[in-house]
């Protein structure tokens, strides 16, 4: 393992500042730059650095960069890095793709695709088209209701996307979304795949419903309610979630892979007690992430609940542990 880590350090460039990061994006002669936003406390990040070291041997014309996310908050905020590991792909200083999570096979595929996309011989792209179509099919079926839009529901980046989000929210419809600005291949490929040239695009059960005009018509006729899955009230959903297990931890990541230092610390404490507990990754659900803060009047994460009652965050759990009271609290005795 030591040899692999030494190799990773030599093969992968480390950007220690935002200025160095910008310099690396502007290197002449390097068509593709892959940046790993990582944290030294996350073991999955160390593993992915080793994966990048191996990829750098196969792709000498690609620049592989590791950037400690918490050391350059202005860069992390600009590119909406909310968890580690996250990978961004750049060509000519422009972001062209993104990968969230420790997915070595997907990282390998993306590097291969982007590294060769500008030099693919004629007649050899049939396999690439097939791979893209497979990916698009998975994306449009990733949730019962999928919206492909410009930006995110929290920050739409065009008026049409903003309007369709407002309609879906007003009608209490559960939906997931995909930012087409984050992936040019998806942005262009989906137009052809669905024979629909504009965005936003709404899909239900893997089938195209249409764009903003059609959604407006469906709302006006009352059909939207019957086509799209409806949400339960958020408060009811939160009650179900905090009572899902006797001990519930709401955190960044999960018990196998924490995605922030505070979450990592609280998991270590809980594991040492030997208590059974379940986790919920608040990074996977923005509605729960924001709603639970108001529901429990507790503004930060992680949050620990026992039998549906809030115990507190990391500081309180630390204090209970030091006082020898944590085990009894987790059993619901206090």
């Amino acid at each position: 393992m030591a040899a692999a880590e030494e190799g990773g350090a030599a093969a992968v460039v480390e950007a220690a500042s935002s200025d160095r990061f910008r310099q690396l994006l502007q290197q002449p002669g390097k068509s593709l730059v892959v940046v790993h936003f990582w944290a030294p406390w996350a073991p999955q990040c160390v593993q992915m650095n080793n994966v990048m070291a191996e990829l750098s041997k196969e792709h000498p014309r690609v620049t592989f960069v590791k950037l400690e996310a918490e050391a350059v908050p202005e860069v992390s905020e600009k590119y909406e890095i909310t968890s580690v590991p996250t990978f961004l792909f750049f060509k000519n200083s422009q972001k062209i793709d993104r990968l969230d999570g420790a997915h070595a096979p997907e990282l390998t595929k993306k590097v291969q695709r982007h590294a060769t996309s500008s030099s693919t011989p004629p007649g050899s792209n049939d396999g690439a088209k097939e791979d893209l179509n497979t990916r698009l099919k998975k994306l449009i079926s990733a949730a019962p209701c999928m919206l492909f839009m410009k930006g995110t529901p929290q920050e739409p980046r065009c008026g049409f996307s903003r309007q369709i989000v407002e309609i879906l929210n007003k009608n209490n419809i559960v939906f997931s979304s995909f930012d087409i600005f984050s992936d040019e291949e998806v942005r262009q490929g989906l137009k052809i795949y669905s024979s629909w040239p504009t965005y936003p695009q709404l899909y239900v059960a893997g089938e195209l419903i249409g764009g903003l005009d059609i959604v407006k018509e469906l709302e006006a006729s009352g059909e939207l309610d019957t086509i799209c899955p409806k949400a339960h009230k958020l408060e009811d959903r939160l009650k179900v979630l905090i009572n899902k297990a006797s001990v519930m931890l709401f955190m960044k990541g999960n018990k196998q892979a924490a995605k922030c230092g505070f979450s990592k610390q609280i998991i270590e404490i809980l594991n040492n007690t030997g208590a059974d507990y379940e986790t919920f990754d608040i990074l996977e659900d923005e509605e729960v992430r924001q709603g639970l803060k108001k529901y429990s009047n507790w503004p930060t994460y992680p949050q620990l609940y026992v039998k549906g009652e809030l115990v507190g965050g990391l500081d309180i759990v630390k204090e209970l542990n030091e006082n020898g009271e944590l085990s009894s609290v987790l059993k619901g005795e206090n």
Side-chain angles (χ1 to χ4, degrees):
M1 179 59 72
E5 289 174 358
E6 287 171 9
V12 179
V13 181
E14 182 156 12
S17 68
S18 55
D19 287 340
R20 178 60 174 150
F21 166 71
R22 284 191 287 269
Q23 288 173 1
L24 290 167
L25 292 188
Q26 296 167 0
Q27 286 184 100
K30 293 287 187 178
S31 60
L32 177 65
V33 180
V34 181
V35 183
H36 176 198
F37 288 81
W38 77 299
W41 47 261
Q44 63 271 31
C45 288
V46 177
Q47 294 165 5
M48 294 306 291
N49 279 336
N50 291 335
V51 172
M52 286 212 306
E54 291 302 313
L55 288 171
S56 69
K57 297 173 186 176
E58 300 174 22
H59 302 280
R61 291 184 59 80
V62 177
T63 300
F64 292 88
V65 180
K66 63 177 185 178
L67 186 63
E68 190 174 337
E70 293 171 351
V72 284
E74 68 281 8
V75 177
S76 296
E77 183 176 352
K78 177 181 178 181
Y79 292 104
E80 299 181 341
I81 307 300
T82 58
S83 62
V84 293
T86 292
F87 297 86
L88 298 186
F89 299 75
F90 294 86
K91 278 189 179 179
N92 301 318
S93 300
Q94 299 297 313
K95 187 184 74 166
I96 59 169
D97 205 350
R98 177 183 182 121
L99 174 65
D100 293 277
H103 307 295
E106 187 64 21
L107 177 63
T108 303
K109 286 180 186 177
K110 283 180 178 286
V111 170
Q112 177 71 28
R113 182 167 68 246
H114 292 305
T116 59
S117 61
S118 60
S119 58
T120 305
S124 66
N125 62 348
D126 292 343
K129 285 182 181 177
E130 184 177 348
D131 288 343
L132 176 58
N133 285 344
T134 301
R135 186 169 170 234
L136 293 174
K137 188 173 182 180
K138 287 180 180 177
L139 281 174
I140 64 178
S141 302
C145 188
M146 275 295 296
L147 177 65
F148 290 81
M149 62 179 289
K150 295 179 179 179
T152 65
Q154 294 75 36
E155 295 184 8
R157 293 172 63 183
C158 80
F160 295 149
S161 292
R162 181 177 294 106
Q163 288 182 61
I164 202 168
V165 166
E166 289 172 354
I167 291 171
L168 295 176
N169 286 337
K170 182 174 67 175
N171 287 274
N172 204 28
I173 289 167
V174 181
F175 68 99
S176 294
S177 67
F178 185 93
D179 180 2
I180 55 148
F181 283 145
S182 71
D183 194 317
E184 188 64 20
E185 186 180 49
V186 170
R187 180 181 182 177
Q188 301 302 333
L190 195 59
K191 296 177 184 178
I192 299 169
Y193 181 87
S194 296
S195 298
W196 195 271
T198 59
Y199 291 98
Q201 295 181 15
L202 183 69
Y203 294 76
V204 173
E207 297 293 330
L208 176 66
I209 300 300
L212 175 61
D213 288 342
I214 289 181
V215 170
K216 281 182 173 179
E217 290 175 10
L218 290 171
E219 182 190 31
S221 68
E223 295 177 70
L224 191 63
D225 282 346
T226 62
I227 291 173
C228 297
K230 300 285 283 184
H232 298 294
K233 285 184 180 178
L234 178 58
E235 185 173 331
D236 293 339
R237 187 172 173 226
L238 294 174
K239 284 180 182 178
V240 170
L241 283 174
I242 64 177
N243 287 281
K244 186 178 177 182
S246 179
V247 180
M248 276 294 297
L249 178 64
F250 292 80
M251 59 177 287
K252 294 179 179 179
N254 55 52
K255 64 173 74 175
Q256 289 78 31
K259 293 183 179 178
C260 80
F262 296 144
S263 294
K264 185 171 183 285
Q265 289 181 59
I266 201 167
I267 276 179
E268 289 173 350
I269 294 171
L270 292 176
N271 287 344
N272 286 335
T273 68
D276 290 328
Y277 66 98
E278 296 293 332
T279 62
F280 184 94
D281 183 358
I282 52 109
L283 296 176
E284 297 292 330
D285 194 315
E286 189 66 19
E287 184 183 50
V288 170
R289 181 180 184 176
Q290 300 304 329
L292 195 58
K293 294 178 186 179
K294 297 175 184 177
Y295 179 84
S296 296
N297 197 26
W298 195 270
T300 59
Y301 291 98
Q303 294 183 17
L304 182 68
Y305 293 77
V306 174
K307 295 185 176 178
E309 296 293 330
L310 175 67
V311 174
L314 176 61
D315 289 342
I316 289 179
V317 171
K318 275 184 175 178
E319 186 178 332
L320 290 170
N321 190 47
E322 290 166 1
N323 294 341
E325 300 174 35
L326 184 58
S327 291
S328 59
V329 168
L330 295 177
K331 294 174 184 174
E333 296 173 0
N334 289 343

